Amino acid sequence: MATNGTSENPAGSAPRRLDLRAASGGGLFEYAPAPESVRPEIADRYGLFIGGEFVEPESGSRFASINPATEDTLSMVAQASAADVDRAVKAAREALPAWSGLSGKDRGKYIYRIARRMQERTRELAVLETLDGGKPIKESRDVDIPLACAHFFYHAGWADKLRFALPGRDPKPVGVCGQIIPWNFPLLMLAWKIAPALACGNTVVLKPAETTSLTALRFAEICAEIGLPRGVVNIVTGAGETGRAIVEHDGVDKIAFTGSTQVGKMIAKAVAPTSKKLTLELGGKSANIIFEDASLDQAIEGIIEGIYFNQGHVCCAGSRLFVQESILDTVIDKLRDRMSSLRVGDPMDKNTDVGAINSKEQLETIEKYLGLGDQEGAERHDVCSSSLPDKGYWCRPCFYSGVQPSHTIAREEIFGPVLAVMSFRTPEEAISRANNSPYGLAAGVWTDKGSKIFDIARRLDAGIVWLNTYNKFDPTSPFGGYKESGFGREGGRHGLMAYCR
Amino acid sequence: MTERLPIIKTYKLAIGGKFPRTESGRSTSVHDASQNLVAHVCRASRKDVRDAVDAAHKAQPAWGDATAMLRSQVLYRLAEMMEGKREELAKAIGEGGEREVDASIDRVVHYAGWCDKYAQVMGGSNPVAGPYHDFTIPFPVGVVGVITPDTPSLLGFVSLIVPVIAMGNACVALASEINPVPALVLAEAIATSDLPGGIVNTLSGFRDELVEHYSSHREIDAIHAASVSDEHRTLLREGSADNLKRVHVHGDVDFFDEDACESPAWIDPFVEFKTIWHPSAV
């Protein structure tokens, strides 16, 4: 035991670096497969959750929700038409007076019940999320589902404290909220939308993404199970047309959308002539900036987590890496080294780091960008040594070096495990290049120099700035972007503003 | 002795700390309640909007970086300069002018005090479930287009611009269409205050001609408007669809009502909340 000070790095010891490839005979360490064994019950077909019960879609039509890791059909999900959306909005409208008239304390208790019931069913929800969306079970188990539960738990406590939350306002519910969420964090995005809406006394009509409806439908079951008053939460499944019906419905008082900037702009245009309130959480091309005085190994871990977490299907993914020139070669070597040990494959295996791409369509989008990256002259590094399964949608995580700011992969959101590495010389250059984007969602800065890191945090045009860390989320911490990454914040006290008049 | 023939003043625009004539070369006349000619004013064009936005962008970063205490003192100084022009402002307003000037000066004083308090009231520290220091602080959104009501011509103008500039934004404000003179007199007070040139740019002109250029300008980051027609409101909101402008259009406002008009809620739409995380474990 060291008796004095730190025992790490005793003077004179040679720096030791474990070469994973050499240690494991050129490949990954062999791990026995550790598949998750819980199998949640999945019905062959689902209806729409309207007015507190599952109902048939008016058209009777359904579409398949598939497991992107196997291409197997998991269930047939209802396609909600405009008429179905109308039923859902009416149910939400009918439920509104009683729900908003309930005491804050009782509203809070219902939300606490939801949180508790979700916590009790976390394993089932995690497996369902992974089967339906392709994300590694360790991420749905350790990140998505616990955060979703925490979101409800946190917001439950706001319901009877709203008058303290927003100085200068007399908070009143907005009314019926139409909420449209993406496929990258299905249940977590549902929680971000529904928890604050309910806490503030609103009722909701929520549409999950068409490729990931199952956890939202399971959530509907939980709402029924805990006795949430009918019509307070309505879940309508479907694709873009269903979303359009929500946006255009006269009975909706507020739209909250998380998704692409392109669709966000269409929604902004559609609601312009109305009195609907709007919050948008859109795309990003977030910069991760690493200085020569950073703790390099910690930074490499953060960069890897920043871009390969959830297969890069993250709106705030650190997809542009700016490396100070003096350490560029070192960082590239270390990235290659770290990437070589990423495990890509069966999302249900607890060892898996990178799972399946969410859909065939998204895989094609990513592959289009990989083609452009190669064509425009950047150098692709995809040294991960996992062998990819034959069936399902897979993309080998990679990064590009030699990227110019004008390259497509440095400008456009890819929403996949693809990192563009660029270099800079001075802090000024790093800031101006990081800010040179129409987006402004998140940013990361890596340096051990305190005054520098806070100055740079101040000057970055980003709604979330992670310093010496990346991709951290918490229900108390507001999330949302600058510029074309949207407006409004979700989470924390600030997130309540969007759901109060 | 014959009565002296007065000089009729032509008020120019206020852009970037200077007083240029409109690029369009157009002007209109302003009459008082008894239909006497009192002044000529510029009829600004799209080019003037664009010039003003450029000036605002040049000026904004330094104003946004100024300490909150300094911004507070500068705005208080503006109130002092307005007090000195009290009679001229009241006369420009006409009927009820004195009451309106008093309310306008008081509104400036109110928001001057918010500069160094807003972040404390509306920012915060977030108790995340982990070893992180996590906090949220407001930053200016950038350049704000402000469309002000016809009446009250001064108090409406002041009430819309001051919450915007208090937090470090710059603005391009369109004055009352019926009587832009009080806002243009205010521009002269601003020019002699310590407010840097380009933070408040004042235009006079017709909303029917100019609102669409505010809406479509990609370098305008947010819109603050009140008492606009439904058609203009839609047009302004459509600006969101272009570059995700933050558009805030008030309905009917009683600008003399302090409770309604003096609150951090008036500042909220014109800040970006930035949340910063840092590990706090060794």
Side-chain angles (χ1 to χ4, degrees):
Chain A
M1 290 282 288
T3 52
N4 195 0
T6 168
S7 64
E8 284 171 40
N9 300 325
S13 72
R16 197 168 65 94
R17 187 160 139 224
L18 184 62
D19 186 329
L20 286 170
R21 274 160 297 177
S24 58
L28 287 171
F29 282 122
E30 292 300 322
Y31 275 70
E36 170 61 56
S37 55
V38 167
R39 283 289 181 278
E41 283 174 27
I42 301 175
D44 292 339
R45 48 197 280 155
Y46 283 95
L48 306 166
F49 187 70
I50 295 176
E53 58 193 4
F54 282 95
V55 298
E56 279 295 295
E58 168 232 33
S59 67
S61 64
R62 284 188 164 76
F63 59 95
S65 195
I66 64 155
N67 178 344
T70 60
E71 300 178 50
D72 294 337
T73 296
L74 293 167
S75 182
M76 296 301 288
V77 175
Q79 171 72 52
S81 64
D84 296 317
V85 167
D86 184 54
R87 269 199 290 172
V89 172
K90 285 188 173 128
R93 176 65 59 191
E94 266 174 43
L96 184 64
W99 180 249
S100 60
L102 209 58
S103 74
K105 193 160 272 129
D106 281 350
R107 247 189 359 252
K109 286 194 283 191
Y110 276 115
I111 305 170
Y112 278 124
R113 279 194 195 178
I114 293 175
R116 268 291 182 263
R117 199 62 195 127
M118 286 172 71
Q119 283 173 326
E120 286 153 10
R121 295 174 71 168
T122 48
R123 193 144 176 220
E124 167 197 356
L125 290 166
V127 172
L128 196 55
E129 198 75 301
T130 285
L131 286 174
D132 200 22
K135 64 174 60 201
I137 185 69
K138 73 174 179 192
E139 288 179 8
S140 39
R141 180 195 64 198
D142 297 346
V143 182
D144 287 62
I145 308 303
L147 272 176
C149 299
H151 231 81
F152 279 99
F153 198 87
Y154 171 78
H155 282 92
W158 269 126
D160 61 351
K161 299 168 193 69
L162 295 173
R163 67 201 163 101
F164 306 111
L166 303 172
R169 293 171 191 240
D170 173 23
K172 296 271 188 300
V174 179
V176 174
C177 301
Q179 305 179 315
I180 300 168
I181 59 171
W183 43 259
N184 57 344
F185 295 93
L187 191 67
L188 181 57
M189 291 299 104
L190 174 149
W192 281 27
K193 294 282 181 282
I194 293 184
L198 297 196
C200 296
N202 304 280
T203 57
V204 307
V205 174
L206 177 132
K207 184 190 93 63
E210 66 269 30
T211 60
T212 53
S213 307
L214 297 188
T215 45
L217 293 165
R218 192 62 50 113
F219 176 81
E221 292 174 18
I222 289 175
C223 291
E225 193 184 1
I226 61 101
L228 187 73
R230 290 165 177 267
V232 171
V233 167
N234 303 275
I235 309 282
V236 289
T237 47
E241 281 306 305
T242 311
R244 181 192 298 273
I246 295 173
V247 168
E248 292 178 352
H249 198 292
D250 288 342
V252 171
D253 300 303
K254 179 207 160 62
I255 298 291
F257 171 76
T258 296
S260 72
T261 292
Q262 186 199 355
V263 175
K265 287 180 177 180
M266 284 162 50
I267 293 174
K269 178 117 180 155
V271 304
T274 72
S275 57
K276 287 178 187 137
K277 279 185 66 145
L278 178 64
T279 44
L280 298 170
E281 205 269 88
L282 308 177
K285 191 73 185 175
S286 297
N288 216 342
I289 303 171
I290 170 166
F291 285 93
E292 59 190 4
D293 49 13
S295 294
L296 274 193
D297 289 336
Q298 189 193 347
I300 296 295
E301 280 308 308
I303 290 160
I304 292 280
E305 189 180 353
I307 184 65
Y308 302 125
F309 175 62
N310 200 33
Q311 297 74 247
H313 301 327
V314 184
C315 49
C316 52
S319 53
R320 291 184 298 153
L321 177 64
F322 293 98
V323 185
Q324 197 153 25
E325 203 174 66
S326 54
I327 53 165
L328 180 61
D329 293 343
T330 315
V331 166
I332 287 179
D333 284 349
K334 280 176 178 279
L335 275 178
R336 285 179 63 95
D337 197 34
R338 180 65 184 83
M339 185 189 266
S340 69
S341 63
L342 285 179
R343 288 164 190 280
V344 187
D346 182 6
M348 290 287 277
D349 189 313
K350 294 164 192 165
N351 295 318
T352 294
D353 297 308
V354 179
I357 298 303
N358 184 265
S359 66
K360 185 158 181 275
E361 190 188 6
Q362 184 57 24
L363 180 59
E364 284 165 3
T365 302
I366 297 168
E367 283 170 346
K368 179 194 85 179
Y369 280 110
L370 293 176
L372 285 167
D374 297 340
Q375 258 175 45
E376 291 176 5
E379 185 188 350
R380 194 202 302 194
H381 305 255
D382 53 357
V383 292
C384 150
S385 55
S386 298
S387 55
L388 303 183
D390 296 331
K391 284 187 81 183
Y393 312 129
W394 305 95
C395 175
R396 203 171 278 287
C398 70
F399 71 91
Y400 280 93
S401 62
V403 179
Q404 299 300 319
S406 58
H407 285 174
T408 312
I409 55 166
R411 292 184 290 111
E412 296 185 11
E413 181 173 43
I414 299 172
F415 227 61
V418 183
L419 174 68
V421 182
M422 292 165 276
S423 66
F424 68 92
R425 289 185 180 169
T426 63
E428 291 303 321
E429 187 190 349
I431 291 164
S432 71
R433 290 182 59 187
N435 286 345
N436 184 17
S437 165
Y439 294 116
L441 191 50
V445 189
W446 300 85
T447 162
D448 270 355
K449 190 131 195 302
S451 52
K452 179 158 81 181
I453 208 163
F454 284 106
D455 181 51
I456 288 168
R458 188 177 61 82
R459 292 160 70 194
L460 287 170
D461 294 340
I464 308 103
V465 183
W466 284 295
L467 306 177
N468 290 325
T469 185
Y470 207 91
N471 269 351
K472 295 292 183 292
F473 309 94
D474 192 274
T476 67
S477 186
F479 185 98
Y482 275 43
K483 303 195 282 190
E484 295 193 18
S485 290
F487 41 68
R489 295 291 178 268
E490 295 186 290
R493 186 172 61 79
H494 298 82
L496 301 172
M497 280 192 231
Y499 289 98
C500 295
R501 281 206 190 278
Chain B
M1 205 172 123
T2 55
E3 204 174 302
R4 177 183 172 270
L5 188 67
I7 297 205
I8 302 289
K9 180 169 173 177
T10 298
Y11 287 90
K12 296 192 282 185
L13 307 175
I15 297 176
K18 297 195 169 67
F19 290 90
R21 288 179 196 282
T22 168
E23 169 276 346
S24 68
R26 305 176 305 179
S27 64
T28 58
S29 329
V30 180
H31 298 85
D32 64 15
S34 325
Q35 295 307 312
N36 299 312
L37 177 67
V38 291
H40 297 285
V41 297
C42 294
R43 184 173 152 193
S45 65
R46 172 170 185 252
K47 178 71 164 65
D48 295 316
V49 174
R50 300 184 68 83
D51 289 347
V53 171
D54 282 348
H57 264 290
K58 283 202 187 81
Q60 190 274 327
W63 177 241
D65 281 345
T67 64
M69 168 61 107
L70 180 64
R71 284 201 307 271
S72 184
Q73 297 199 34
V74 168
L75 287 190
Y76 184 76
R77 177 72 182 156
L78 174 60
E80 289 179 344
M81 300 315 289
M82 289 170 73
E83 194 78 32
K85 277 187 176 286
R86 219 169 148 273
E87 281 174 30
E88 187 182 354
L89 285 165
K91 184 159 170 269
I93 292 165
E95 177 88 31
E98 288 184 3
R99 173 174 174 249
E100 190 181 327
V101 174
D102 291 349
S104 302
I105 296 171
D106 289 356
R107 186 122 318 147
V108 174
V109 171
H110 175 82
Y111 282 99
W114 270 118
C115 298
D116 54 1
K117 294 162 196 75
Y118 181 84
Q120 287 185 307
V121 173
M122 293 304 292
S125 137
N126 310 311
V128 298
Y132 296 92
H133 180 37
D134 182 286
F135 55 101
T136 299
I137 37 180
F139 286 88
V141 67
V143 170
V144 181
V146 183
I147 311 291
T148 73
D150 281 336
T151 55
S153 56
L154 181 68
L155 183 58
F157 188 93
V158 165
S159 301
L160 289 181
I161 66 162
V162 182
V164 164
I165 62 175
M167 286 310 290
N169 296 295
C171 68
V172 176
L174 181 59
S176 159
E177 200 169 295
I178 295 174
N179 184 10
V181 175
L184 296 164
V185 174
L186 177 70
E188 294 172 1
I190 289 171
T192 51
S193 75
D194 296 329
L195 203 63
I199 297 304
V200 177
N201 302 280
T202 305
L203 306 179
S204 53
F206 297 145
R207 287 193 288 272
D208 272 342
E209 290 178 359
L210 297 174
V211 161
E212 63 178 298
H213 303 309
Y214 276 82
S215 170
S216 63
H217 199 306
R218 297 188 57 92
E219 302 294 317
I220 292 179
D221 302 299
I223 295 283
H224 197 192
S227 309
V228 293
S229 66
D230 287 349
E231 186 193 337
H232 287 160
R233 179 180 170 281
T234 298
L235 194 53
L236 289 168
R237 275 167 64 95
E238 280 175 351
S240 267
D242 192 11
N243 66 335
L244 274 302
K245 280 184 190 72
R246 285 73 172 124
V247 179
H248 194 79
V249 182
H250 297 271
D252 288 333
V253 181
D254 175 4
F255 288 99
F256 286 95
D257 179 352
E258 291 185 358
D259 287 341
C261 298
E262 298 181 354
S263 136
W266 280 70
I267 299 176
D268 296 341
F270 310 105
V271 298
E272 292 292 351
F273 285 104
K274 181 185 287 186
T275 296
I276 299 176
W277 293 66
H278 195 283
S280 64
V282 284

